[in-house]
Amino acid sequence: MSDITPASWTALTTLSDRAQAEGLGQALEETLEPDGVGVFEMEDGSGLWEVGAYFAEAPDETGLALLAAAYGARPFAVSEIPPTDWVAHVRRELSPVEAGRFFVYGSHDADRVPEGRVALLIEAAMAFGTGHHGTTKGCLLAFDGLLEGGMPTGRVADIGAGTAVLAMAAAKVWPDATVIASDIDEVAVEVARANAQVNDLKDRVECLEAAGFDHPRLAAEAPFDLIFANILKGPLVEMAPDLAAHAAPAGHAILSGILNPQADDVVAAYDAAGFDLTERQVLGDWTTLTLTRR
């Protein structure tokens, strides 16, 4: 199978009402039959909802205009996406990432791994969550800080694990620890398993599909001494009581996926759930929080 995607089209709009946004998304699917539709709350504090549709061929712009008007949305912005060799693009653009003792790299940079570093291999075709994004790098730096502070081996849960780079980091430095990586997305879980295998951690990182902590294995292994959750503000706030219920006393949580203006709301939610803020780290537009269970 080729890694080069053919040209495609996107159509994006925003509106302020969730019900209207969801209705527009459903209407798009039923009338214009795109290849995919997404409805997301924008994480910029604007209160807007984004509706996006993806087409293999140029969409019917008249139909899009009628739907936008019917649901009170702004006119759709239609864009053509040129053919892209994504793996080649990733290999060009993603250089190795250093985050404290951790070194995240692709196989094309295997000869650049420094001695004495904790090396984590993420293939270019599985690049989401490699450590280049400020949220993942922030989590690795926060974990490195806990290790520098003398944190002993503990049980680890990586919730919303994506490529499982954070779970693998814990498994590398704590060879005897129980480490579970979970994600709500089935494809992400398969990616996590593949990454664990290429890092010789197949038997060290348990990868499973779960929404939050809703899985018997997570219940069985709780309480956890360290919980990673690199998701988004909304799910993090909603998860606070459940995360607290699965955290050991004096255990730590490292949270990210948080835009800088959202950080205080997340801190407040976790303070109410029984956590103290240990460290706040800002990388670009993103904040990573290290918290300790009271």
Side-chain angles (χ1 to χ4, degrees):
M1 180 180 296
S2 173
D3 294 316
I4 300 177
T5 59
S8 58
W9 281 259
T10 63
L12 301 174
T13 187
T14 57
L15 57 168
S16 58
D17 183 81
R18 175 178 180 172
Q20 290 287 91
E22 292 175 345
L24 176 55
Q26 183 174 351
L28 276 166
E29 288 186 301
E30 293 174 351
T31 60
L32 299 184
E33 298 183 349
D35 292 331
V37 172
V39 180
F40 305 100
E41 183 178 12
M42 298 182 70
E43 291 286 336
D44 59 2
S46 66
L48 294 175
W49 288 76
E50 181 178 81
V51 179
Y54 307 88
F55 301 86
E57 299 179 353
D60 176 3
E61 295 198 34
T62 301
L64 288 170
L66 289 172
L67 286 173
Y71 285 87
R74 296 177 182 176
F76 277 93
V78 178
S79 303
E80 182 178 3
I81 303 172
T84 304
D85 184 341
W86 286 110
V87 172
H89 172 77
V90 167
R91 285 176 173 165
R92 284 195 306 270
E93 299 297 327
L94 298 189
S95 57
V97 168
E98 299 186 56
R101 73 196 64 204
F102 300 106
F103 187 87
V104 186
Y105 69 102
S107 58
H108 55 289
D109 284 316
D111 59 346
R112 300 175 62 182
V113 178
E115 289 187 17
R117 306 297 287 277
V118 179
L120 300 164
L121 169 62
I122 305 291
E123 291 293 354
M126 302 173 178
F128 182 78
T130 59
H132 295 79
H133 196 279
T135 62
T136 312
K137 184 173 181 178
C139 289
L140 288 171
L141 287 169
F143 183 34
D144 186 69
L146 290 177
L147 295 170
E148 286 292 315
M151 182 179 179
T153 299
R155 294 176 181 266
V156 180
D158 183 2
I159 306 298
T163 58
V165 65
L166 302 175
M168 293 192 300
K172 286 260 188 176
V173 297
W174 291 335
D176 299 322
T178 296
V179 181
I180 298 178
S182 71
D183 201 285
I184 196 171
D185 182 78
E186 180 181 358
V187 174
V189 175
E190 291 305 314
V191 168
R193 289 190 178 120
N195 283 327
Q197 183 165 357
V198 299
N199 282 273
D200 296 322
L201 295 170
K202 179 182 178 181
D203 298 326
R204 292 281 304 106
V205 177
E206 182 178 355
C207 302
L208 51 87
E209 185 178 348
F213 288 90
D214 187 16
H215 195 284
R217 287 290 300 134
L218 290 165
E221 294 297 337
F224 293 96
D225 302 286
L226 175 61
I227 299 173
F228 294 106
N230 182 11
I231 314 177
L232 288 171
K233 174 205 167 182
L236 284 174
V237 169
E238 184 178 349
M239 188 190 295
D242 206 15
L243 193 148
H246 287 79
H252 299 286
I254 295 176
L255 312 180
S256 200
I258 308 162
L259 289 165
N260 297 334
Q262 302 170 340
D264 287 344
D265 290 341
V266 178
V267 171
Y270 280 81
D271 177 65
F275 286 87
D276 293 323
L277 177 64
T278 302
E279 182 184 6
R280 181 193 302 240
Q281 183 169 235
V282 175
L283 288 178
D285 295 330
W286 302 94
T287 293
T288 299
L289 303 173
T290 304
L291 306 163
T292 304
R293 185 78 166 94
R294 290 196 287 269

